[in-house]
Amino acid sequence: MKLTVLGYYGGYPYRGQATSGYLVQEQGFNLLLDCGSGVLNSLMTVIDPLQLDAVLLTHYHHDHMADLGVLQYYWQLKTGKKKHPQLTVYGHTQDPLNFASLNMPNVSQGLAYSELQPLDLGPFTITFLKTIHPVPAFATKIVSKKDNKIFVFTSDTAYFEGLIEFSQQADLLVTDTNFGAAKKGQIWHMTSQQSGKLAQDAHVQRLVISHLPQEYSLDKLQRETQQAAGDIAVIRARTGLKIVF
């Protein structure tokens, strides 16, 4: 399995870098996980977007789906051979209006996923866990059918203990790490310390911190996360980062 980071900021793009978006590949299958602002341009540097097999959206905040509309236009207007006649976009149905936007006649088809059952998608088996966020959002666990490698993406969430079991023994964990360790009060994203603790408690192999803040030292954020993660390697998301596992 290979992960390529296409965007990593939370909230809004910054200094030419996109918000949340990741390309997950195995055995020639191309899955776009979230499609935030600026992600389409980043994706075009890696593959032709017409070669996508599917898109999966963890939730419908704009920093995770803003570029879906222009991706649909790309599929509608761009000349070239498409891998599939229509682009399949997976999303949850707990927000009917946004789910409906996944459909575009003759361009894209929206299909529902559910926390209640695994999604069988190409070389992957994908399960979901509802997170703690102001809108319905779902962490995703993507497991390779070939070798059982595990990739977990927390999506956007406040820290809660259910993430430990969901992330257990992951080969790669990507966490929503939007705040420094000193952040207090009601927050809807994890702190550096919480991300590191989650990685350690879940006994993961590697941790990538993402959904990063624009106005906090990212070096400091990574140091704080590493301190909480102990011996587990902590990697800071950056555009173009590729991890094969």
Side-chain angles (χ1 to χ4, degrees):
M1 196 185 307
K2 179 166 76 171
L3 174 77
T4 303
V5 176
L6 305 174
Y8 58 86
Y9 275 118
Y12 56 93
Y14 186 63
R15 293 181 176 175
Q17 304 303 312
T19 62
S20 294
Y22 310 89
L23 182 64
V24 187
Q25 297 172 290
E26 184 168 5
Q27 300 178 59
F29 191 91
N30 300 314
L31 171 64
L32 178 59
L33 179 61
D34 281 346
C35 190
S37 180
V39 164
L40 180 58
N41 270 332
S42 291
L43 179 63
M44 286 189 284
T45 67
V46 183
I47 64 167
D48 180 352
L50 298 182
Q51 301 308 304
L52 285 172
D53 290 279
V55 178
L56 192 155
L57 301 177
T58 63
H59 64 297
Y60 302 128
H61 271 158
H62 295 306
D63 55 335
H64 292 257
M65 70 168 293
D67 267 21
L68 177 64
V70 289
L71 175 60
Q72 289 170 318
Y73 291 157
Y74 186 97
W75 267 64
Q76 180 185 46
L77 302 172
K78 181 73 168 63
T79 58
K81 185 177 180 180
K82 296 180 172 72
K83 193 171 185 179
H84 303 281
Q86 290 190 96
L87 177 62
T88 301
V89 185
Y90 290 91
H92 68 73
T93 59
Q94 296 186 24
D95 181 338
L97 287 177
N98 275 307
F99 180 74
S101 73
L102 310 187
N103 292 286
M104 187 173 180
N106 303 313
V107 175
S108 64
Q109 177 185 21
L111 296 179
Y113 62 74
S114 170
E115 189 178 21
L116 301 178
Q117 62 183 22
L119 173 63
D120 187 344
L121 183 59
F124 305 126
T125 300
I126 307 177
T127 52
F128 303 90
L129 175 69
K130 191 172 185 179
T131 68
I132 298 175
H133 204 53
V135 300
F138 291 85
T140 61
K141 180 189 294 183
I142 301 176
V143 180
S144 167
K145 296 176 186 176
K146 179 182 178 181
D147 55 16
N148 292 316
K149 293 289 187 178
I150 301 170
F151 165 48
V152 174
F153 174 48
T154 65
S155 183
D156 286 8
T157 185
Y159 176 81
F160 66 105
E161 289 191 355
L163 291 168
I164 299 173
E165 181 179 355
F166 190 74
S167 306
Q168 198 67 220
Q169 302 292 331
D171 295 280
L172 181 64
L173 172 65
V174 175
T175 58
D176 165 13
T177 312
N178 204 80
F179 296 116
K183 183 71 173 178
K184 303 295 181 185
Q186 176 65 67
I187 54 176
W188 300 105
H189 304 275
M190 286 192 286
T191 67
S192 55
Q193 187 176 45
Q194 289 169 336
S195 284
K197 181 179 186 301
L198 171 60
Q200 189 170 72
D201 290 347
H203 306 287
V204 308
Q205 292 298 310
R206 279 180 287 185
L207 169 64
V208 173
I209 56 172
S210 195
H211 201 279
L212 302 178
Q214 293 82 358
E215 298 183 354
Y216 191 87
S217 166
L218 298 186
D219 288 338
K220 183 177 180 182
L221 193 79
Q222 185 172 1
R223 288 196 301 269
E224 292 172 350
T225 308
Q226 186 66 74
Q227 184 176 18
D231 293 335
I232 296 166
V234 175
I235 304 163
R236 192 169 79 211
R238 65 180 187 276
T239 302
L241 173 68
K242 291 178 172 61
I243 299 178
V244 179
F245 55 103

